[in-house]
Amino acid sequence: MSTAGRAAPAHLGALYPFLYAQPAPAVDAFTAELVVSTAGKLREAALLRAQVLTEQGDALAACARSLAVALDTGGRLFAFGNGGSATDAQACADLFAAPPHGYGAPSLAAYALSADVAVLSALANDVGVEAVFARQVAAHARPGDVAVGFSTSGNSPNLVAAFDRARRCGMVTVGFSGGGGGRLAEPGAVDHLFVVRSPSVHRIQEAQTTACHVLWELTVAELCGADGRPSAAQGVLADDRNTGAACTDR
């Protein structure tokens, strides 16, 4: 008989409790249900990601070509979103600005408008939450820049306002939405829209993350061309676009 399950002698039980540990109980009903639920969610997430990339692959490629043209001629990317979508916007900007090691991708000028707490809180307090992204677009953007917004509903008023400002500034506009697309799916709202048709906020954000990464990879492929090297124009105005008129209509 092994030591497991025996009563531990007082002087040994304190020193070597693992020798006298009781056998692990059988998996209870709750744990079994949790395992089944987790596996189901993983399958659902994988299928939804595959569906988005299959159904919207051509649209992602077309968007990547637009982004490559904009970024190759000095355009900058501005990403934004609320809550968890603010984290997705930050990840998007980081992906373009600081590509993962080993991809051989160029660093591109990309910023997350939802990352500066001081600016966000000042605008929310002094102007209103609906203006926190539109005002930043008006302050920083130039024609030919790129606006990328993330939302799980497509109805966030501050995203709608930011895209409206971005269009008037002559920016390339890219939206990631969920459900039925919301207000971002209305004609003329954005140039490129990718809708994850799911009622689950979690699944929507997971699929949006995958779609954004694919969009970045396709954009890099367009920029680098067949030989894998950045084009001659890449980086000429990578940091600051001082030419052209700013979007001064505040």
Side-chain angles (χ1 to χ4, degrees):
M1 179 178 179
S2 67
T3 56
R6 293 182 186 175
H11 64 290
L12 292 178
L15 292 174
Y16 309 109
F18 55 88
L19 291 176
Y20 299 92
Q22 296 298 315
V27 175
D28 57 29
F30 173 78
T31 303
E33 183 179 345
L34 186 62
V35 170
V36 171
S37 174
T38 300
K41 289 175 181 177
L42 288 172
R43 285 193 298 271
E44 181 185 351
L47 288 171
L48 186 59
R49 285 168 162 163
Q51 177 184 340
V52 169
L53 297 181
T54 299
E55 294 179 354
Q56 304 185 51
D58 290 342
L60 283 165
C63 182
R65 288 191 289 271
S66 294
L67 264 59
V69 170
L71 297 171
D72 195 39
T73 53
R76 301 161 300 169
L77 184 149
F78 296 95
F80 44 88
N82 299 288
S85 294
T87 303
D88 293 335
Q90 180 70 69
C92 174
D94 289 346
L95 188 59
F96 278 84
H101 179 71
Y103 275 85
S107 295
L108 302 164
Y111 310 90
L113 299 182
S114 46
D116 193 326
V117 176
V119 171
L120 287 180
S121 58
L123 288 171
N125 183 64
D126 298 342
V127 184
V129 175
E130 290 189 12
V132 293
F133 301 133
R135 281 296 185 95
Q136 292 187 75
V137 168
H140 299 299
R142 305 288 189 273
D145 284 341
V146 178
V148 182
F150 293 83
S151 173
T152 56
S153 68
N155 292 318
S156 302
N158 54 18
L159 259 76
V160 174
F163 278 126
D164 178 66
R165 183 71 64 182
R167 288 195 313 276
R168 286 188 277 151
C169 288
M171 301 176 72
V172 178
T173 53
V174 182
F176 289 89
S177 185
R183 294 177 63 186
L184 295 186
E186 294 176 359
V190 293
D191 299 323
H192 306 274
L193 179 64
F194 304 101
V195 181
V196 180
R197 302 194 181 281
S198 169
S200 168
V201 170
H202 309 303
R203 303 294 87 77
I204 290 169
Q205 290 183 314
E206 291 163 357
Q208 285 179 343
T209 298
T210 299
C212 181
H213 201 288
V214 170
L215 178 61
W216 168 75
E217 289 195 65
L218 292 172
T219 302
V220 168
E222 289 287 336
L223 284 168
C224 293
D227 60 0
R229 295 178 297 179
S231 65
Q234 176 56 44
V236 171
L237 297 170
D239 256 349
D240 193 7
R241 194 179 175 87
N242 292 318
T243 58
C247 182
T248 54
D249 177 17
R250 305 290 174 88

